Amino acid sequence: MQFHHHGYVSEDPRVQPASEVGLNRPERIPDQVDVLIVGAGPAGMIAAAQLAQFPGITTRIVDRRAGRLEIGQADGIQKRSVETFAAFGFADEIVAEGCEVTQTVFWKPDPRDVARIVRVSREPEDERDVSEFPHILVNQARVLDYFGRVMAQAPTRMKVDWGLEFEDLEISESGDHPVTVTLAHSAGEHMGHRQLVRARYVIGTDGAHSRVRGAIGCNFSGGASNHAWGVVDLLAVTDFPDIRTKCVIQSHDAGNILLIPREGGYLVRLYVDLGDVDAQARSSIRQTPVEEVIARAQAILHPYTLDVRHVAWYSVYEVGHRVCDRFDDVPLDRIGQRLPRVFIAGDASHTHSAKAGQGMNVSMQDGWNLAWKLGHVLEGRSLEALLATYSAERQRIGQDIIDFDKRWATMMATPPEQLGNPREVEAAYAQITEFAQGFMTQYAPSLITGDAGHEALAAGFPIGRRFRSARVMRVADARPLQLGHEARADGRWRLYVFADRAPIGDDSPTTRLAHWLADSADSPLQAQPGAAAWYDVKLVCQQSHTEIDIGRVPAVFMPRVGPYELVDYERVFASLGGADDIFAQRGISRDGALVIVRPDQYVAHVLPLADTAELAAFFRGFLRGPGSQPS
Amino acid sequence: MQFHHHGYVSEDPRVQPASEVGLNRPERIPDQVDVLIVGAGPAGMIAAAQLAQFPGITTRIVDRRAGRLEIGQADGIQKRSVETFAAFGFADEIVAEGCEVTQTVFWKPDPRDVARIVRVSREPEDERDVSEFPHILVNQARVLDYFGRVMAQAPTRMKVDWGLEFEDLEISESGDHPVTVTLAHSAGEHMGHRQLVRARYVIGTDGAHSRVRGAIGCNFSGGASNHAWGVVDLLAVTDFPDIRTKCVIQSHDAGNILLIPREGGYLVRLYVDLGDVDAQARSSIRQTPVEEVIARAQAILHPYTLDVRHVAWYSVYEVGHRVCDRFDDVPLDRIGQRLPRVFIAGDASHTHSAKAGQGMNVSMQDGWNLAWKLGHVLEGRSLEALLATYSAERQRIGQDIIDFDKRWATMMATPPEQLGNPREVEAAYAQITEFAQGFMTQYAPSLITGDAGHEALAAGFPIGRRFRSARVMRVADARPLQLGHEARADGRWRLYVFADRAPIGDDSPTTRLAHWLADSADSPLQAQPGAAAWYDVKLVCQQSHTEIDIGRVPAVFMPRVGPYELVDYERVFASLGGADDIFAQRGISRDGALVIVRPDQYVAHVLPLADTAELAAFFRGFLRGPGSQPS
C-alpha cells in the first residue's frame, strides 16, 4: 500500500483523495453520463469499482432494488475471485469472515444397506498448487458490500443509485452520448417517475431476465429444460458429522444434496436437487414449500438427523444452460464494421447450474474485463476497437462454462450405480478443480493478446492466461512478498521486466530496454504526454537482493511520483533463490524476458528484452497516439 | 469469526450487536460510571477496547485533546503487539498498511576514510522463530484508530469523550463509587466548565506528565538526566541506498541516527541523537530547530545526500528512564491491607528512550493486563483481590524495560571505537530481539499464576509467559490454522485440553476431565449460574483429524450457543502431524496436559488432566462463588 507521497495521510490510507468527478458528485443521476451500468450484482459492481478508479469518467450504476442485497443468492468464491479481490484490496478481510473450503467429502449409499449413506472419500482442494489463495464461501451480499466500499473510497466517490429500473434504450448512430436509456423510479420519493439518461456506453448486468439484453436483441439460447434446486440457508442441529465441510451427498432413492457450510461457523446451505423441469412443470416446482425441501434433505441424510432450528433464506433456483451469441449490441454479421455501445455481462449473458459455483465468479471476470477497456477508451488512452475484444473474449468463456457445467451437472445427477466407475465423480472432481477455481480462462490471440512465438522465454506465464504470482524479494526493504499481489486494480498495464544475468546497471539488454521504455518515441510510455503513468513497470532480477546496487537501477523502474517528486522504491525485486527462485518456478529464460500483463491480470504478451520493435507494434495496435481525441 | 448463531447477520459481522449499556449510551459522560479512563493513548485505548466487550459495565474514556491524534508520537509495533492486535481483530489490516521490518542494517565510519559511512552488516529480524507475526512500523494515530473501531463495534458502542481534562481526584473510604474525579472541559461548547464524575475505578493513562499519578502520590523515580532526540518524519530524495530499511547509523564525529522507514513507501523517520541533557540545558535543547536536526542528519549520512522535500512532523523527544514504585493507589506499606481504586498505566507509570521501541508496546500490555481484571471484578466473576495483581505484575515489567533500555541506549550512544568488540552492537542486537519484540515478559507465581510443578507436561508453554501459537487442524472443517489466533480479546479464560492418547470419547483422563468441567460443583464453569460462558474450553487431540469421530467428542468441547442452541464446532482440534505436530513442537506430554491461559494470553497454569483438585483450587483463589455480590 503506497501513500504519503502527496503529503501526510493521517486517516485510513485506503480512502483515496477525491478528484475530478468525485469532488462534487451529484446525489441525483445526471441526464448525461459516460457509462451507465444497469444492475448492482457482482458483474455490475466490479465494473463500477474498476471504473471508479478513473477520476475523469462519470459512471453511474443503477439497480431496481430499494437498497443493498441482504441475504441469499450466490455464496461460492473461487480462488480466482479471491485473487481478484486482492487486486481490489479486500481479499484478507473477506477471507477472514468467509468459510474456507479445504476438501469436499463424498457420501453415497452404504452397499451393505442402501437406505443409509456412508462417507466414501474426502477429496482435498488443490493443496494450493493452482493458487496461493483459498476457496471460500460467503454470502454474495458481503461481496457486493466490499465492492461498494471500494467505489466509495475511490477518487470518484461512486455509489449505487438504488430504486431505478431499466425500461428501454435507443442507440443513435451519432453524437457523443448516443445511447438514450429510459429509467423508471422503482422506489423512493420519485417512484413511478421516468428519467431519460444519455450515455456514451451502457452495461447491462441486470440478471438472467435482462431487459438490456432484450433491448439489443441478443439471442439467449441453450437447453430447452431447466434444472431446479431447492436452495435453503439454515441453522440446524444434526449428528451428520460433516456438517461443517462441503459435501456431495447421493442417496439411493431420496435424491441428492450439495451441502455448503457457510461463514460464521453455524449457517449451512443445502442445494436439494429437484430435477429437470420442462415448461409445463415450472410453476408447480417454483411453489415447492421449504418444508418439502427440508423433508427431502432429511430423507437423503438418513440415518443422520437434521433438526432445523431456523430457515434464514429459501428459494427454488431454476435455471437452464444458456449463453448469448454476442455480449454487445453489434450483430454478428456487422462485427468489424461498427463498434459496440451497449454490453451485457454476468447472468444477462450466460446462466448455468448452481452446483459448479461458477455464476458470480465468471460474472465478476466479465465485468472486470469490460470496465478497464471502457476506462481506457473514455480516457483517450486506447482506440475504440479495444471494446470489440470484450464480446469476443467473454462470449467464448461463457460457452466454455456451459460445456463444463453440463458435464458436471449431468454427472452429479446420475445415480451412482449408473456411473461406470464408482469413483468417477471423485476423479472428475479432482481433474476439474483448476477449471472450477477459475484459472482455465485463456484468451486467444487478438488485438491485445500476442502470439505464442516467444512464450518459451517465460513458460510459466502462458499467453492469454492470468499472471500467476510467485514469491520474490523486494530489494529496497528486503521484504519477501508475492509479486502478483502487488498488482492492484488501478487500470494500469504491467510490464514485468525479468532481467538478464548481467549486473544491474551494466550495459545489458535490461538496461537498453529500460532506456528505450523511458526515452524512445516508439515506447508505449511515450504514446501521449503523461502516458508513463498508465504503466506499472517492474524489474525482477535473478540475483539475490544483496547483490543489487539500488543506486544503479535504471530510472524507469524507480519513477518519481507526486508533488515532491519522490522515488518509488517498490518496483524492483530480486529472486529469493533456492526453491523460491521465480526464474526457475516460472521457467523464465536467464537471458531475461518481458512479460506484458493486462489491467485485469491476464498475460498479454511475452517478448525478448531486445525486441522493442515487436513491443512497440503490440501497443501501437490499440493505443491512441499523441493529439488523438477520445471518442 | 463466529456469527449467525443469533440469527442471520447481513452486514459486517465484525459489528457486534449492541447490548446493555450500549443500547442507550448517553452522548455526554454521566455523573457516575464504573470505570473512568483518563487519556486516549495506547494504554487507555486498549483498556477501553477490552472493557467495551463487557456490556454491563459503564466505561468512559476522556482525553484533553479536542479530537483524534493526527500525526507523530510512536511508530514501532513489536510482534507481541501485532499478536495483541490479532486478538482484537485488526492485525491483518494494520499489517497491510504498515511497513514491515525484516532486517536492521548497520552503518559505521569507513575505516579507510572515517568521514564516510559504510554498510557493515545486515541483521535479519528473528526469522519468525519467536513469533509468526511481523514487526511493523506504523503511526500511533492509526493504532488508536483501530482500537477506536473495536470500541465502536463492541456491544457497549464506546467512544472517546474528547475535550475533557483531568484536574484532580479524591478517594473515599466507602460507597459504591468511591473515586470522585474533577474534569474540566478543554474544548467544545462547555469549554472552561468543570464536571464531577464519580467512578468505581479510575485508570490514569495520561502520559509522562500524568496528573492522575500526582493525585495518588506515586514516586516517579529514575535517572537525573534526560536523553534528547530530534525526531523528524520527512519526505526526501536521497542516494542513501538503505532509506527503506531500518538502519542504525553511527558516524565518526557527526553523531548517530536511528532511521525508520515508515508506512506507505515514502515517509521516513529519523531519530537524531542530541545527547544527554541536564536540567539546565533543557529549555535550549527543546528549542533545537528542525533545520539543525536535518543538517546534522546530512552530516552523519556523508557521503550520501539527503534532499528533504517535506517535513511532516518534528519534535524534540526528551526522556529519562523512570518508573513508578507502584502502579496503583495502594501505598507500598499497605499492600494486602486495602485494595486499589486508581491505577496508572503506560507513560504515566514508566518512561524510556525511544530507541528501543518499547513505549507504546509495553503500555498496551499494561492496559490489557488491567482491563480484563476490572471487567471480571465489576461483573462479579472475580474477587477484588485480583486487582492487586496489576501493579505487582506490571511494575516489575516497567522496571525490567528500563534496565533493558538503559543497556541498549548506552550501547547505541557509545562511539564505535570505544566498544571493545566492533560487532558488539550487532551481537547484542540479535540477543535482545526476543526482549525487544515483547516476548520476555514472565509473570511470577501469584493468585493467577501457578507454580511450575507440572510445567514439564507442556514445556513449550512456560508458566507466566504468553501462550505461543502453533498450527493445528480444526476437526469439523478440516481447516489448518494457528491455534493461538483463535483466542480473541473477549475477556474469557482459555482452557486448552491437550488430550491423552486414548481414542476421543473412550473412558480416559480427557473424557473424565471433560465431565468434571461440565458437571462438578467444584468446576470453575460451575462457579456461578452462567459461568460456563466465561471460559473457552478447547480440545487438542494428538491424532489426525480423520481419526476423530466428532460425534464422540464430549459436550464441554462442543457447547450449545445462542437462542437456537446450535453446536459450536470450532473448539476441537487435531495435530497436523509430522513437522507440524503441536505436541512435539510444544513439548506436550502424550499423557495429555491442561494449559490454562488468561484473557490477555499469558499462561496461568499447567496441570495434569487428572488433577482436578489443583484445578479447582487455582480458580477458587480468585473466583467469586455463587451468591456473592460484586464490589
Side-chain angles (χ1 to χ4, degrees):
Chain A
M1 207 179 295
Q2 291 184 286
F3 49 96
H4 288 330
H5 47 300
H6 294 92
Y8 193 84
V9 175
S10 175
E11 302 200 39
D12 189 346
R14 294 162 185 86
V15 181
Q16 300 174 67
S19 75
E20 301 195 51
V21 304
L23 292 172
N24 282 297
R25 186 180 184 277
E27 198 54 34
R28 188 182 149 93
I29 191 168
D31 294 337
Q32 196 165 290
V33 302
D34 292 317
V35 181
L36 182 70
I37 303 173
V38 179
M45 287 296 274
I46 192 174
Q50 176 64 89
L51 281 160
Q53 310 301 321
F54 291 86
I57 298 176
T58 297
T59 304
R60 300 294 287 224
I61 174 167
V62 301
D63 195 281
R64 63 179 179 169
R65 287 176 194 273
R68 69 182 275 281
L69 177 70
E70 293 192 348
I71 194 166
Q73 306 213 18
D75 60 3
I77 313 287
Q78 299 173 344
K79 292 167 190 270
R80 170 61 187 154
S81 294
V82 180
E83 182 173 81
T84 298
F85 298 161
F88 281 89
F90 62 84
D92 288 347
E93 283 169 88
I94 202 165
V95 166
E97 84 182 69
C99 177
E100 184 172 340
V101 181
T102 62
Q103 63 178 11
T104 302
V105 182
F106 291 83
W107 289 74
K108 289 194 179 162
D110 185 343
R112 292 165 299 185
D113 175 1
V114 294
R116 304 165 60 93
I117 54 168
V118 289
R119 185 194 289 124
V120 291
S121 68
R122 308 179 204 243
E123 300 297 327
E125 280 285 315
D126 73 334
E127 313 257 290
R128 308 275 169 123
D129 57 357
V130 171
S131 168
E132 69 282 3
F133 288 103
H135 171 199
I136 63 167
L137 301 163
V138 71
N139 190 261
Q140 175 178 329
R142 294 295 296 148
V143 175
L144 302 180
D145 285 347
Y146 280 106
F147 278 119
R149 193 180 71 183
V150 172
M151 288 155 57
Q153 295 181 343
T156 48
R157 296 289 186 269
M158 205 186 299
K159 54 186 183 178
V160 179
D161 293 296
W162 298 109
L164 279 169
E165 183 162 9
F166 175 91
E167 292 206 328
D168 205 358
L169 64 75
E170 281 185 25
I171 308 170
S172 159
E173 290 293 312
S174 62
D176 273 355
H177 295 77
V179 192
T180 301
V181 179
T182 306
L183 298 174
H185 289 267
S186 52
E189 54 175 332
H190 302 290
M191 195 160 136
H193 286 72
R194 286 196 169 71
Q195 182 180 358
L196 296 187
V197 176
R198 290 185 303 124
R200 293 183 197 271
Y201 296 102
V202 171
I203 308 178
T205 47
D206 49 344
H209 304 286
S210 171
R211 293 176 73 172
V212 175
R213 181 181 69 220
I216 60 172
C218 290
N219 176 23
F220 197 45
S221 61
S225 74
N226 283 345
H227 200 94
W229 305 89
V231 190
V232 58
D233 286 345
L234 52 81
L235 297 169
V237 172
T238 179
D239 56 0
F240 179 68
D242 289 340
I243 193 73
R244 298 304 313 158
T245 61
K246 185 175 171 186
C247 294
V248 174
I249 306 165
Q250 294 179 278
S251 74
H252 177 61
D253 57 9
N256 59 70
I257 291 175
L258 176 66
L259 185 156
I260 303 287
R262 284 276 299 274
E263 67 277 8
Y266 301 96
L267 193 74
V268 172
R269 171 168 289 190
L270 302 181
Y271 287 93
V272 181
D273 194 343
L274 302 178
D276 282 335
V277 283
D278 57 22
Q280 282 71 38
R282 272 177 147 179
S283 76
S284 71
I285 203 93
R286 271 185 206 156
Q287 279 147 35
T288 310
V290 66
E291 293 77 12
E292 185 180 320
V293 168
I294 289 171
R296 194 183 286 217
Q298 287 165 330
I300 293 167
L301 287 169
H302 180 80
Y304 300 102
T305 60
L306 180 74
D307 175 8
V308 175
R309 301 285 170 95
H310 178 69
V311 173
W313 180 74
Y314 169 65
S315 179
V316 174
Y317 180 85
E318 183 207 355
V319 71
H321 299 297
R322 289 185 180 80
V323 63
C324 279
D325 52 346
R326 53 184 164 87
F327 286 13
D328 64 30
D329 62 311
V330 179
L332 295 178
D333 57 3
R334 295 203 57 204
I335 288 174
Q337 295 166 44
R338 58 172 282 259
L339 288 165
R341 286 290 176 176
V342 180
F343 309 86
I344 51 173
D347 286 355
S349 51
H350 48 82
T351 59
H352 13 90
S353 150
K355 275 226 171 144
Q358 294 291 323
M360 171 162 59
N361 296 283
V362 177
S363 297
M364 289 191 288
Q365 296 304 318
D366 289 346
W368 199 13
N369 182 300
L370 175 57
W372 70 263
K373 295 173 182 172
L374 282 170
H376 285 204
V377 169
L378 283 162
E379 274 210 340
R381 301 183 190 183
S382 294
L383 301 170
E384 291 161 277
L386 180 63
L387 299 177
T389 64
Y390 166 69
S391 181
E393 290 182 340
R394 297 305 299 177
Q395 198 278 340
R396 187 177 141 196
I397 299 299
Q399 187 63 55
D400 288 350
I401 303 282
I402 304 283
D403 297 343
F404 160 75
D405 192 19
K406 277 188 184 168
R407 286 200 306 277
W408 174 231
T410 303
M411 191 164 53
M412 284 293 310
T414 305
E417 62 274 17
Q418 292 180 23
L419 291 172
N421 174 348
R423 290 183 58 86
E424 190 174 330
V425 174
E426 297 91 311
Y429 193 84
Q431 286 165 10
I432 62 189
T433 292
E434 190 169 356
F435 193 103
Q437 291 303 329
F439 294 116
M440 289 296 274
T441 294
Q442 181 155 17
Y443 296 128
S446 75
L447 193 64
I448 51 170
T449 306
D451 64 54
H454 299 288
E455 208 173 41
L457 292 173
F461 296 117
I463 294 172
R465 299 283 283 264
R466 77 87 167 73
F467 181 85
R468 185 175 168 196
S469 185
R471 292 180 74 239
V472 292
M473 178 70 94
R474 196 159 62 193
V475 172
D477 57 356
R479 183 162 167 209
L481 45 73
Q482 285 279 355
L483 183 60
H485 301 197
E486 298 294 286
R488 309 313 297 249
D490 55 10
R492 290 193 292 177
W493 282 87
R494 300 200 144 71
L495 305 183
Y496 293 93
V497 177
F498 289 91
D500 61 283
R501 23 173 113 61
I504 299 304
D506 280 11
D507 182 35
S508 67
T510 300
T511 301
R512 287 190 290 274
L513 174 61
H515 292 156
W516 183 88
L517 284 169
D519 302 327
S520 169
D522 294 330
S523 163
L525 280 68
Q526 302 296 328
Q528 293 179 31
W534 305 344
Y535 300 88
D536 176 11
V537 185
K538 290 179 151 74
L539 176 66
V540 187
C541 310
Q542 50 189 283
Q543 298 90 339
S544 154
H545 73 286
T546 58
E547 295 168 53
I548 294 158
D549 179 352
I550 200 102
R552 298 192 69 214
V553 171
V556 77
F557 305 118
M558 297 176 67
R560 297 301 186 96
V561 293
Y564 304 112
E565 298 189 338
L566 303 173
V567 176
D568 179 348
Y569 283 92
E570 303 199 352
R571 305 194 192 187
V572 182
F573 305 88
S575 166
L576 283 162
D580 265 342
D581 176 13
I582 187 172
F583 280 71
Q585 284 181 326
R586 295 288 173 268
I588 300 159
S589 165
R590 298 289 167 182
D591 294 327
L594 170 66
V595 178
I596 304 172
V597 179
R598 300 156 38 146
D600 56 0
Q601 303 183 322
Y602 287 86
V603 177
H605 215 340
V606 173
L607 289 171
L609 297 180
D611 198 350
T612 51
E614 176 58 24
L615 170 56
F618 173 74
F619 278 101
R620 205 182 301 121
F622 56 91
L623 285 192
R624 277 187 183 273
S628 300
Q629 289 303 309
S631 61
Chain B
M1 207 179 295
Q2 291 184 285
F3 49 96
H4 288 331
H5 46 301
H6 294 93
Y8 193 83
V9 176
S10 175
E11 302 200 40
D12 189 348
R14 294 162 186 86
V15 182
Q16 300 174 68
S19 75
E20 300 196 49
V21 304
L23 291 173
N24 281 298
R25 187 181 184 276
E27 198 55 34
R28 188 181 148 94
I29 191 167
D31 293 337
Q32 195 165 291
V33 301
D34 293 316
V35 182
L36 182 71
I37 303 172
V38 180
M45 288 296 274
I46 193 174
Q50 176 64 90
L51 282 161
Q53 309 302 320
F54 292 85
I57 298 176
T58 297
T59 304
R60 301 293 287 223
I61 174 169
V62 301
D63 196 281
R64 63 179 179 171
R65 288 176 194 273
R68 70 182 275 280
L69 177 70
E70 293 191 348
I71 193 167
Q73 306 212 17
D75 60 3
I77 313 286
Q78 298 174 344
K79 292 167 190 271
R80 170 60 187 154
S81 294
V82 179
E83 183 174 81
T84 298
F85 298 162
F88 281 89
F90 62 84
D92 288 347
E93 284 169 86
I94 201 165
V95 166
E97 86 182 67
C99 176
E100 184 172 339
V101 181
T102 62
Q103 63 177 12
T104 302
V105 181
F106 291 83
W107 288 75
K108 289 194 178 162
D110 185 343
R112 292 166 298 185
D113 176 1
V114 293
R116 303 165 60 93
I117 55 168
V118 290
R119 185 195 289 126
V120 292
S121 69
R122 308 179 204 244
E123 300 297 327
E125 280 285 314
D126 74 335
E127 312 256 288
R128 307 275 170 125
D129 56 359
V130 170
S131 168
E132 68 282 4
F133 288 103
H135 171 199
I136 63 167
L137 301 163
V138 69
N139 190 261
Q140 174 177 330
R142 294 295 296 148
V143 174
L144 301 180
D145 285 347
Y146 280 106
F147 279 119
R149 193 180 71 183
V150 172
M151 289 156 56
Q153 296 182 343
T156 48
R157 297 289 187 269
M158 206 187 297
K159 55 185 183 178
V160 179
D161 293 297
W162 297 110
L164 279 169
E165 184 163 11
F166 175 91
E167 292 206 328
D168 204 357
L169 64 76
E170 281 186 26
I171 308 171
S172 158
E173 289 294 310
S174 63
D176 273 355
H177 294 77
V179 192
T180 302
V181 178
T182 306
L183 298 175
H185 289 267
S186 52
E189 54 175 334
H190 301 290
M191 194 159 137
H193 286 72
R194 286 194 170 73
Q195 182 180 359
L196 296 187
V197 176
R198 290 185 302 125
R200 294 183 196 270
Y201 296 101
V202 170
I203 308 177
T205 47
D206 49 344
H209 303 286
S210 171
R211 293 176 73 175
V212 175
R213 181 181 67 220
I216 59 171
C218 291
N219 175 24
F220 198 45
S221 61
S225 75
N226 283 345
H227 199 94
W229 305 91
V231 190
V232 58
D233 286 345
L234 50 81
L235 297 169
V237 172
T238 179
D239 56 1
F240 179 67
D242 288 340
I243 193 74
R244 297 305 312 160
T245 61
K246 184 175 171 186
C247 294
V248 174
I249 306 165
Q250 295 179 277
S251 74
H252 178 61
D253 57 9
N256 59 70
I257 291 175
L258 175 66
L259 185 157
I260 304 286
R262 283 277 298 276
E263 67 276 9
Y266 302 96
L267 194 74
V268 172
R269 171 169 289 190
L270 303 181
Y271 287 94
V272 181
D273 194 343
L274 302 178
D276 281 337
V277 283
D278 57 22
Q280 282 71 39
R282 271 178 147 178
S283 77
S284 71
I285 203 92
R286 271 185 205 155
Q287 279 148 36
T288 310
V290 66
E291 293 76 14
E292 186 180 319
V293 167
I294 290 171
R296 195 184 286 217
Q298 287 165 331
I300 294 167
L301 287 169
H302 180 80
Y304 300 102
T305 59
L306 181 73
D307 174 7
V308 175
R309 300 285 169 96
H310 178 68
V311 173
W313 179 74
Y314 169 64
S315 179
V316 175
Y317 180 85
E318 184 207 355
V319 71
H321 300 297
R322 287 184 182 80
V323 63
C324 280
D325 51 347
R326 54 185 163 86
F327 285 12
D328 64 29
D329 62 311
V330 179
L332 296 178
D333 58 3
R334 295 203 58 203
I335 289 174
Q337 296 167 42
R338 58 172 283 258
L339 288 164
R341 286 289 177 177
V342 179
F343 308 86
I344 51 173
D347 286 356
S349 51
H350 48 82
T351 60
H352 14 89
S353 151
K355 275 224 170 145
Q358 294 291 322
M360 171 160 61
N361 297 282
V362 177
S363 297
M364 289 191 288
Q365 297 302 319
D366 288 348
W368 200 13
N369 181 299
L370 175 57
W372 70 264
K373 294 173 183 173
L374 282 169
H376 285 204
V377 168
L378 284 162
E379 275 210 340
R381 301 184 189 184
S382 295
L383 301 170
E384 291 161 274
L386 181 62
L387 299 177
T389 65
Y390 166 70
S391 180
E393 289 182 342
R394 297 305 298 177
Q395 198 276 342
R396 186 177 142 197
I397 300 300
Q399 186 64 56
D400 287 350
I401 303 282
I402 304 283
D403 296 342
F404 160 76
D405 192 18
K406 278 187 185 168
R407 286 199 307 276
W408 173 233
T410 303
M411 191 164 55
M412 285 292 312
T414 305
E417 62 275 18
Q418 292 178 24
L419 291 172
N421 175 347
R423 291 183 58 85
E424 190 175 330
V425 174
E426 298 90 310
Y429 193 84
Q431 284 166 13
I432 63 189
T433 292
E434 190 168 355
F435 194 105
Q437 292 302 329
F439 294 116
M440 289 295 274
T441 294
Q442 181 155 18
Y443 295 129
S446 74
L447 193 65
I448 51 170
T449 306
D451 63 55
H454 299 288
E455 207 173 42
L457 292 174
F461 296 118
I463 295 173
R465 298 283 284 264
R466 77 84 167 75
F467 181 85
R468 186 175 166 196
S469 185
R471 292 180 74 238
V472 292
M473 178 71 93
R474 195 158 63 192
V475 172
D477 57 356
R479 183 162 165 209
L481 46 72
Q482 285 279 356
L483 183 60
H485 300 198
E486 297 294 285
R488 311 313 297 249
D490 54 10
R492 290 192 294 176
W493 282 86
R494 299 200 146 72
L495 305 183
Y496 293 92
V497 176
F498 290 91
D500 61 282
R501 17 173 119 61
I504 298 303
D506 280 10
D507 183 35
S508 67
T510 299
T511 300
R512 287 190 290 274
L513 174 60
H515 292 157
W516 182 88
L517 283 169
D519 302 326
S520 169
D522 294 329
S523 163
L525 279 69
Q526 301 297 329
Q528 293 179 31
W534 306 344
Y535 300 88
D536 176 10
V537 185
K538 290 179 150 74
L539 175 67
V540 187
C541 310
Q542 50 188 284
Q543 298 90 340
S544 153
H545 73 286
T546 58
E547 295 168 53
I548 294 157
D549 180 352
I550 199 104
R552 300 191 69 216
V553 171
V556 76
F557 305 119
M558 296 177 68
R560 296 301 186 94
V561 294
Y564 304 112
E565 298 190 337
L566 303 174
V567 176
D568 178 348
Y569 284 92
E570 303 199 353
R571 306 194 191 186
V572 182
F573 304 89
S575 166
L576 283 162
D580 265 342
D581 176 14
I582 186 172
F583 280 71
Q585 286 181 327
R586 295 288 174 268
I588 300 159
S589 165
R590 297 289 166 182
D591 294 328
L594 170 65
V595 178
I596 304 172
V597 179
R598 300 156 38 147
D600 56 0
Q601 302 181 324
Y602 286 86
V603 176
H605 215 340
V606 173
L607 288 171
L609 297 179
D611 198 351
T612 50
E614 175 58 25
L615 170 56
F618 174 73
F619 279 102
R620 205 182 302 120
F622 56 90
L623 284 191
R624 277 186 182 273
S628 300
Q629 289 303 309
S631 60

